[in-house]
Amino acid sequence: LIELCGGYKEKCGKLLMGGPMMGISLFEDTAPVMKQNNAILAFNEKDASTPKGGACIRCGKCVSACPMGLVPCVIARAAKKKQVDVLKKYNVLTCMECGCCTFASPAQRYIVQTIRLGKAILRDEIAKEKGAEKK
């Protein structure tokens, strides 16, 4: 697909499958393209550099940006601390991973990535509970 579009103009620093906010990073350009793929983005090395995220400054911009009405800063903190009860209370599984919270963060925190980890932690805990119930 990239060759069909004229190839890379500069050395590729990062490939994304999907859009810039919800896209998934690709390790190589040999991944198959299917009908549900809406975009392939190739960034040069300069544009692919990611800033180092800072500490939360508690400004609330991530909360205002969340289209689901969640509190991303609290969910991210709970995910880092693996607080399953807080993840449940703040409905981490409701997050649609749009990336608005990360984009809105003036501290350039990787909130949505941390929320993805929180969802995995909660799903693992739910699976453990279901496994314990069956025994």
Side-chain angles (χ1 to χ4, degrees):
L1 182 64
I2 292 170
E3 285 178 29
L4 181 70
C5 294
Y8 299 111
K9 293 185 178 168
E10 296 179 34
K11 184 176 179 188
C12 184
K14 186 176 220 172
L15 274 175
L16 288 180
M17 183 177 289
M21 291 181 70
M22 293 181 68
I24 297 172
S25 188
L26 298 175
F27 294 104
E28 55 186 26
D29 60 5
T30 59
V33 178
M34 297 174 275
K35 66 181 180 179
Q36 67 265 24
N37 299 128
N38 61 351
I40 301 288
L41 301 174
F43 296 96
N44 62 27
E45 289 181 330
K46 179 185 170 223
D47 292 335
S49 65
T50 53
K52 185 177 180 183
C56 179
I57 60 173
R58 303 202 192 286
C59 64
K61 289 186 179 182
C62 62
V63 178
S64 298
C66 182
M68 300 303 293
L70 301 175
V71 186
C73 52
V74 173
I75 295 171
R77 187 176 341 115
K80 284 184 177 181
K81 294 181 178 182
K82 297 184 180 181
Q83 297 172 322
V84 176
D85 54 333
V86 178
L87 293 171
K88 283 181 188 176
K89 179 180 177 182
Y90 284 88
N91 301 313
V92 68
L93 296 177
T94 305
C95 176
M96 62 181 180
E97 301 178 18
C98 65
C100 290
C101 54
T102 299
F103 186 77
S105 172
Q108 298 178 325
R109 297 182 66 230
Y110 299 104
I111 302 169
V112 75
Q113 290 85 344
T114 308
I115 288 175
R116 284 180 183 152
L117 294 174
K119 289 170 106 174
I121 291 167
L122 182 57
R123 287 185 184 119
D124 285 346
E125 188 64 29
I126 291 169
K128 286 178 189 175
E129 289 173 4
K130 286 183 180 179
E133 288 174 7
K134 289 182 181 179
K135 289 182 180 182

